């Protein structure tokens, strides 16, 4: 499976098919893709996507990640791109 991020068009394609992500979903995915393998907490993701100090954002980030997975993963329940490191946060695996 091939995942391609096009920052100038603010688009993401999976195997050549463009996926419709919201601006926040795109921001989260772009942030994680620019730093593959690095695990970020929900607070760090929020800070780097919303550009604000986080307040109780774990549920918000998990919902956005679930929506992104539904759009880019072949099997969202067994993701190969957006991974959760339980107790730490999320990372992108290239």
């Amino acid at each position: 499976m091939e995942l391609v991020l096009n920052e100038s068009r603010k688009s993401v394609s999976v195997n050549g098919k463009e996926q419709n992500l919201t601006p926040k979903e795109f921001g989260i995915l772009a942030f994680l893709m620019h730093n593959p393998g690095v695990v970020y907490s929900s607070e760090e993701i929020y800070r780097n996507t919303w550009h604000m100090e986080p307040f109780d954002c774990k549920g918000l980030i998990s919902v956005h990640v679930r929506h992104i997975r539904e759009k880019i993963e072949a099997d969202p329940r067994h993701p190969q791109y957006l991974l959760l490191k339980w107790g730490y946060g999320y990372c992108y695996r290239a």
Side-chain angles (χ1 to χ4, degrees):
M1 212 161 85
E2 183 184 31
L3 180 67
V4 177
L5 181 79
N6 185 325
E7 295 224 44
S8 63
R9 293 185 53 217
K10 303 289 187 226
S11 67
V12 175
S13 62
V14 179
N15 294 329
K17 184 179 177 191
E18 194 167 310
Q19 301 299 309
N20 293 318
L21 273 72
T22 67
K24 290 302 181 196
E25 291 169 353
F26 181 85
I28 291 169
L29 183 59
F31 173 67
L32 293 173
M33 286 182 77
H34 283 300
N35 304 286
V38 179
V39 178
Y40 290 99
S41 69
S42 295
E43 290 81 7
E44 291 170 313
I45 294 169
Y46 186 94
R47 197 174 287 116
N48 283 282
T49 305
W50 274 260
H51 306 289
M52 298 170 54
E53 284 303 308
F55 177 77
D56 194 27
C57 64
K58 287 182 182 175
L60 177 69
I61 297 300
S62 68
V63 168
H64 279 290
V65 168
R66 179 172 48 90
H67 290 162
I68 296 167
R69 284 178 175 161
E70 290 170 353
K71 295 173 183 181
I72 68 166
E73 300 281 1
D75 182 358
R77 291 186 177 182
H78 300 98
Q80 72 178 96
Y81 292 118
L82 291 184
L83 306 179
L84 172 65
K85 298 290 184 175
W86 189 255
Y88 296 100
Y90 297 95
C91 71
Y92 171 77
R93 179 173 63 188

